[in-house]
Amino acid sequence: MLSHFTDQVERQIDHRAKAMIVTRSRLHAVRYKLALDQQLKARGLPFKALVAFSGAVEDGGANYTEAGMNGFSDKQTAKAFRQKQYRFLVVAEKFQTGFDEPLLHTMYVDKKLSGVNAVQTLSRLNRTFPGKTETLVLDFANETDEIQEAFQPYYEATLLSAATDPNLVYDRERELYDFHLFTKEEVQAFAAIWFGATEKDKRQHAKFYAVLLPVKARFDGLLADQQERIRAALADYVRLFVFISQLLTFADADLEKLYHFARFLRRLVRADKDELPREVLNAVDMESYRVQQTSKGKIELAKGIGELEPLSFTGPMRLTAGEEEPLSKIIRELNERFGTDFTEEDRVVVRGLYESLATDEALVEAVRVNPPENARLSFEQKAKDRMQGLVDTNFKLYKRITDDEAFSKVLLDMLFEMFRARARRDDPP
């Protein structure tokens, strides 16, 4: 675990990534903490570990408690874990559910997980953070089919492979170049800009998209079936590289250069939503993709392509004339609070964003039936996905949302309250 963390994880999220070790008992948690402390010291690593478990554990004649091993009250464990030096959290039941730490990047699992407990535990990694583009679970105790069975009730499809050959990355690389859509020289040119950019520059996506415009022009001239094959190949390469690079260190720098090139290109060549089914892999970064449980119990999903039957309401929400003024109020309040100069034209863009959310029947139902804190998580995930589309329609607003976390939070808060109020007004009798 330590070797993997130092080789593959430590540098993630601007060298702030943290890991959780899920153990099978309180005794195991104690022994893991002792072993971690010993190994960290022996290797001269500047990291520290915390432990979380309830009660007291006796082992080898010694009595251990969470407070005693950490050196402070157990009520301070979660807060202390936010400090930079603490990179590992060893847990036994505690913090496996309801724990929100966005810097949590990797989970090492040494415990049997099943059902909703598996979903809740692994979902601790789902919290987003600027610069967090991926997560990873290294599981030492469970089988592939067991985890798939746990997640399946909550998802239309669970993509999970028992084993992956690292050489497949080279196969996908060769497949991409065989389309003759772009050259290695263009990939090198893009990489030179990407690796020479600051973190702030990397959030200004328009600069990188501009480099890809000649490739996009060639793509637009292809037949629809060839475009579809290229989209699929780009998605396969990005997903495969992200997964394998978290386990192995590639000596071939060209693979990573192609990864960043493909990651941006696939956003630029998204499928036309009016002609094709909505494809998640084309709409969002899978390396940033997160899943979360919004309710307990099995969700029955309609299979195939078609319209979903309403669950318990007459239809999707529609923006009424009376809600135009609140949208104007949102723009006005943002301008007053953050000194921006957004106009009525920007209100129209926000209106489009709101309407796209309001016509999502599954989201409306989730917000209607769940407690506010759970409903907010569902709403925020969907809203952030749709906000990615602003890069093409209103880059000024998109840039402010992605660059200013406080601005993004206020906007989401106001939209959510408006959305939730409307959803609850439309409750069936």
Side-chain angles (χ1 to χ4, degrees), residues 22-134:
V22 180
T23 67
R24 61 192 68 187
S25 71
R26 296 184 304 151
L27 177 59
H28 283 82
V30 168
R31 292 181 176 178
Y32 259 112
K33 173 65 163 65
L34 294 173
L36 265 177
D37 289 345
Q38 182 183 23
Q39 285 290 320
L40 289 170
K41 182 177 180 180
R43 298 183 183 208
L45 296 173
F47 314 138
K48 291 184 179 181
L50 294 173
V51 69
F53 62 91
S54 59
V57 175
E58 186 175 340
D59 186 31
N63 197 55
Y64 297 96
T65 64
E66 176 181 328
M69 298 190 80
N70 290 334
F72 44 76
S73 167
D74 55 4
K75 295 181 180 179
Q76 298 297 316
T77 301
K79 184 176 180 180
F81 190 51
R82 298 172 189 162
Q83 298 177 23
K84 187 175 182 179
Q85 70 268 32
Y86 292 113
R87 306 295 285 274
F88 296 91
L89 178 60
V90 183
V91 302
E93 296 299 336
K94 289 184 69 173
F95 297 127
Q96 284 183 228
T97 61
F99 176 59
D100 295 332
E101 173 47 64
L103 292 176
L104 198 58
H105 176 280
T106 296
M107 183 175 290
Y108 302 105
V109 180
D110 187 22
K111 174 186 179 179
K112 281 289 185 181
L113 299 172
S114 62
V116 69
N117 183 251
V119 176
Q120 290 179 327
T121 298
L122 301 182
S123 294
R124 295 310 96 211
L125 300 174
N126 290 343
R127 306 308 182 254
T128 59
F129 192 85
K132 183 179 180 180
T133 59
E134 61 205 32

Side-chain angles (χ1 to χ4, degrees), residues 283-329:
V284 300
D285 281 339
M286 284 306 293
E287 65 270 20
S288 303
Y289 180 65
R290 64 192 184 122
V291 294
Q292 63 192 37
Q293 181 190 357
T294 58
S295 61
K296 293 184 178 180
K298 184 174 181 178
I299 301 174
E300 296 291 344
L301 298 174
K303 303 298 181 182
I305 302 173
E307 294 184 357
L308 288 174
E309 291 294 325
L311 298 177
S312 62
F313 57 96
T314 57
M317 296 191 302
R318 301 294 179 187
L319 191 64
T320 65
E323 288 173 312
E324 293 289 341
E325 196 281 329
L327 287 174
S328 297
K329 182 179 179 182

